[in-house]
Amino acid sequence: VTLHLNPISSVHIHQKPLVFLLNSPLPLVWKLKTERLAPGIRRVFFVSLGSVVQFEKGNFSLSAETEEKFFPEKNEQLLQWAQKEYGAVTSFTELKVSRNIYIKVGE
């Protein structure tokens, strides 16, 4: 699955830390494609067990962290866990089948 990350139109370059929970019932390779995300900013990708994140060459992979995590099975439990862990959830998306996911990050 390719995850496309771009800032919202009102933000020229996104310069804030981000945390992503990438959960799947089966192990996946998450391919990351980004535009206009500032280098050197902490970005964390938690993936379900057996999954990995692949970064583009020349990407911000040096400042990104990837960690395998055991997530709650149901979406409601996952959302509650994320809110407890991080205090807020700005976006939650569930897809049954997808090859590309487009996410706009911003204020």
Side-chain angles (χ1 to χ4, degrees):
V1 174
T2 302
L3 183 61
H4 301 265
L5 302 177
N6 301 304
I8 58 176
S9 60
S10 62
V11 174
H12 181 63
I13 295 180
H14 190 269
Q15 300 186 37
K16 293 191 176 183
L18 296 168
V19 175
F20 290 91
L21 308 178
L22 304 173
N23 189 24
S24 172
L26 298 173
L28 285 179
V29 174
W30 296 91
K31 296 179 182 178
L32 200 61
K33 294 196 180 271
T34 65
E35 290 181 28
R36 301 183 354 251
L37 299 186
I41 306 293
R42 185 172 185 244
R43 295 178 180 100
V44 181
F45 298 87
F46 291 108
V47 297
S48 48
L49 300 178
S51 293
V52 296
V53 177
Q54 289 181 347
F55 299 97
E56 295 175 287
K57 288 184 179 178
N59 196 308
F60 59 79
S61 60
L62 293 177
S63 59
E65 302 169 32
T66 303
E67 183 180 325
E68 282 187 66
K69 198 101 170 151
F70 178 80
F71 291 120
E73 204 169 300
K74 297 185 186 273
N75 285 336
E76 296 81 17
Q77 295 169 329
L78 178 60
L79 186 56
Q80 288 173 352
W81 176 84
Q83 288 172 328
K84 182 180 176 186
E85 192 77 17
Y86 295 100
V89 173
T90 57
S91 177
F92 186 92
T93 304
E94 176 186 13
L95 301 167
K96 297 291 183 193
V97 177
S98 182
R99 289 187 175 183
N100 291 282
I101 300 172
Y102 296 85
I103 298 178
K104 297 280 187 183
V105 296
E107 303 302 316

